[in-house]
Amino acid sequence: MKHEIFSIAGTAKEVADGMARAFFMSAFAAAYEEADGTSPLKAQIGSMAGRNLADVLPAPVDPAAHHAAFTLACDLRTKNDATDLAALFEKAQDFYAGEGDQELTPDNFGFALAMEAMGAMGTGLDDAFGMAVAAAVLVPHCEFGSHSLEIDYFG
């Protein structure tokens, strides 16, 4: 893999994996919605009503989602004057007061970072971990959608 962040075990990798998963999940959901009824994969998946998107995501994560996570990691380090994603996670832990609707884990943190960067409502740092964490960690905006995926899953 060309982005070293995904090959070294530890907290930074877990955060980066969470970011890549969020980018992929969001873009795949958009591609699913945009696909017409003749797509073999859309026919195989069927209706998403009452289903968890994570249960139908193909493996592995699209390479473009890893690239987006790497780019966001670089921007996050710069914007927050952090040495790496592990240091940024430690900063979030310092401000975490048990608020929000998720446990603060590296994977959940990475997922929320990417969702907030994409502007997804209800899935950012404040909803996941509380306003103190959201105020402490500066998240740059980025675009990542179905057009960003490297693989055409529904073509």
Side-chain angles (χ1 to χ4, degrees):
M1 175 140 317
K2 71 179 185 175
H3 303 301
E4 186 176 286
I5 194 168
F6 295 102
S7 61
I8 300 173
T11 300
K13 179 187 181 336
E14 291 177 50
V15 173
D17 284 344
M19 291 190 311
R21 185 172 52 86
F23 282 126
F24 184 39
M25 187 176 285
S26 177
F28 186 85
Y32 172 86
E33 290 298 321
E34 295 164 4
D36 64 31
T38 63
S39 165
L41 182 57
K42 187 164 186 172
Q44 177 186 349
I45 292 170
S47 172
M48 284 300 300
R51 296 175 70 189
N52 186 338
L53 180 61
D55 295 336
V56 299
L57 279 178
V61 169
D62 190 273
H66 280 120
H67 181 77
F70 176 77
T71 301
L72 179 58
C74 293
D75 292 346
L76 283 163
R77 290 190 313 246
T78 300
K79 195 167 187 99
N80 290 280
D81 195 31
T83 55
D84 61 16
L85 290 176
L88 193 59
F89 178 71
E90 289 173 15
K91 181 178 181 179
Q93 286 179 306
D94 291 342
F95 287 89
Y96 182 58
E99 298 172 354
D101 57 16
Q102 293 185 27
E103 178 185 355
L104 180 60
T105 65
D107 182 70
N108 287 345
F109 181 61
F111 192 91
L113 283 170
M115 295 305 283
E116 181 156 322
M118 290 185 286
M121 301 301 293
T123 56
L125 293 177
D126 58 340
D127 292 298
F129 313 116
M131 289 302 297
V133 172
V137 178
L138 304 174
V139 181
H141 178 76
C142 69
E143 297 288 331
F144 193 84
S146 60
H147 62 281
S148 306
L149 294 170
E150 186 172 303
I151 298 168
D152 181 5
Y153 295 92
F154 297 98

